[in-house]
Amino acid sequence: MRPSDCRVRVSPGAPTLKSLTPAGCAGRPRRAVFALVAPALLAACGGPQSALDTAGSDAATLSHLFYVMLAGAVVLWLAMNGLMLWVWRIDPRPMPPRYARRLIFAGGIVFPTVVLAALLSWGLSIMPDQRAPGDGLRVEVTGEQWWFRVHYWPEGATEPVRSANEIVLPVGSRSEITLEADQVIHSFWLPSLAGKTDMIPGRTNRMSMEPTEPGEFRGQCAEFCGDSHAWMAFTAKTMMPEEFDAWLAAETGPAAQPEGALAEAGREAFMAQGCGGCHAIRGTPARGRVGPDLTHLASRLSLAAGALPMTRAALVRWIEDPAAVKPGAKMPAYDHLAPDTIEAMAAYLEGLE
Ligand code: CUA
């Protein structure tokens, strides 16, 4: 039998799937459905962007809530199907009306009211307080099209430490994240650490999160915001406090000097092409604030807000034509430059650790 023989053709008046399925094909639809559903069921269970593989206290509470609700749903599903099976196969006789009314009242009104009210009050009581005050560090994140502007405000700071597209947080303390948006609504979601909060133009939303272990994670804009919504991601790192302090001190400092003739030529081309009108690189004449701050670009895990890996080849690809990678990206294409010039600029940027 060929697989095409197992295709089900639905016609008007066709009673059941079973009667349409040729003999010998019985297992195929079930296997096909399982093959389609299984990856979806397993996709969120692990990895750097999973609400079930947690590294933060708020995410752990949410994951716990999910598992308890899931267990409750499974018990109810089994009970309902058990009852259905009972009246269908074991005792199909009609129930006396008196008992039937009681069953409907108890099973259809009392039971769901009690169970849902209990689950709701328990769920609300353990819900993490996403607006809990932080321990000192405040990170200001602004949703741009389509990237994240990130400013760190350590306690007592009068100037932010400017960065982009990566959130670095210390383990064991609660950091406050303030969320804003430039033009359209975005949503900040770092599922391994906490729940999601919208970023709304003209409004400052607050949330806080407390990482519990060091690691590298991925976050994603969770609100449709235009052409490149799906390409609007960010990376996150959580570090032990001493490591975080060292990182913040390095991040506060100026950019590395170019090493070698190629990177030196790249720096000159970067300045000559006016890239500094949009991008800032501390310690150089580049002071633009329109695009991401590039001072320590190469220390980030990804390029272009999670769209590309941080490699020289990816830098070249991005400089040549950003919109080819990220539709609607506001940075213009520089494909009119000689390949050697773009290679040199990429070499300079690659050294900005
Ligand atoms: Cu920003 Cu979707």
Side-chain angles (χ1 to χ4, degrees):
M1 174 178 271
R2 290 165 299 146
S4 60
D5 295 334
C6 288
R7 273 187 213 127
V8 176
R9 288 171 197 85
V10 180
S11 57
T16 62
L17 182 68
K18 202 172 175 186
S19 67
L20 288 162
T21 309
C25 297
R28 288 177 198 262
R30 250 180 288 170
R31 276 203 293 270
V33 168
F34 182 74
L36 280 174
V37 170
L41 287 175
L42 299 173
C45 292
Q49 192 184 330
S50 168
L52 302 179
D53 187 1
T54 63
S57 58
D58 308 84
T61 307
L62 290 172
S63 160
H64 180 59
L65 182 65
F66 167 78
Y67 280 117
V68 172
M69 292 280 185
L70 179 69
V74 168
V75 169
L76 282 178
W77 186 86
L78 288 173
M80 289 309 298
N81 282 280
L83 273 178
M84 202 168 70
L85 205 67
W86 177 270
V87 297
W88 179 30
R89 285 289 167 90
I90 299 172
D91 188 5
R93 287 171 305 165
M95 193 181 262
R98 199 154 53 102
Y99 292 123
R101 272 198 296 277
R102 278 185 201 162
L103 182 68
I104 290 169
F105 182 73
I109 298 173
V110 178
F111 183 76
T113 305
V114 171
V115 169
L116 292 179
L119 278 177
L120 178 68
S121 42
W122 175 72
L124 290 176
S125 75
I126 66 153
M127 203 75 101
D129 183 5
Q130 293 213 129
R131 291 160 70 93
D135 293 337
L137 176 69
R138 183 165 70 84
V139 187
E140 190 180 277
V141 186
T142 307
E144 305 279 346
Q145 282 175 305
W146 284 269
W147 58 281
F148 294 90
R149 189 185 295 276
V150 183
H151 289 174
Y152 295 87
W153 292 88
E155 202 159 17
T158 50
E159 266 282 292
V161 180
R162 293 184 167 86
S163 185
N165 297 327
E166 192 160 271
I167 313 286
V168 183
L169 297 173
V171 168
S173 62
R174 187 161 276 281
S175 299
E176 184 175 312
I177 319 278
T178 57
L179 302 164
E180 288 166 30
D182 187 26
Q183 282 142 332
V184 299
I185 300 177
H186 305 271
S187 187
F188 181 85
W189 190 34
L190 187 47
S192 306
L193 298 189
K196 69 177 81 137
T197 304
D198 277 3
M199 315 171 92
I200 301 169
R203 185 192 156 90
T204 302
N205 279 346
R206 289 191 160 72
M207 70 186 293
S208 65
M209 50 179 76
E210 184 187 9
T212 49
E213 53 187 84
E216 293 176 353
F217 310 97
R218 187 178 188 277
Q220 169 74 46
C221 174
E223 176 81 36
F224 180 72
C225 54
D227 292 2
S228 279
H229 156 69
W231 292 110
M232 187 171 170
F234 61 95
T235 45
K237 289 180 198 155
T238 52
M239 298 173 175
M240 297 314 282
E242 5 8 298
E243 197 189 345
F244 176 80
D245 291 344
W247 172 83
L248 190 64
E251 191 72 9
T252 310
Q257 291 299 318
E259 275 180 26
L262 187 65
E264 186 64 56
R267 180 187 141 114
E268 269 168 40
F270 185 93
M271 302 304 161
Q273 292 299 325
C275 305
C278 289
H279 296 284
I281 299 179
R282 285 193 295 281
T284 77
R287 298 215 168 90
R289 294 266 179 258
V290 179
D293 187 293
L294 304 180
T295 306
H296 299 292
L297 172 75
S299 68
R300 296 175 204 152
L301 293 169
S302 72
L303 176 65
L308 292 170
M310 188 58 75
T311 62
R312 190 183 299 185
L315 282 160
V316 167
R317 202 176 146 205
W318 179 256
I319 297 166
E320 274 176 350
D321 191 359
V325 176
K326 198 169 225 182
K330 292 185 175 162
M331 178 172 147
Y334 282 84
D335 49 2
H336 55 281
L337 299 179
D340 289 354
T341 307
I342 295 180
E343 182 79 18
M345 285 161 93
Y348 169 52
L349 295 172
E350 197 188 19
L352 297 180
E353 294 229 349

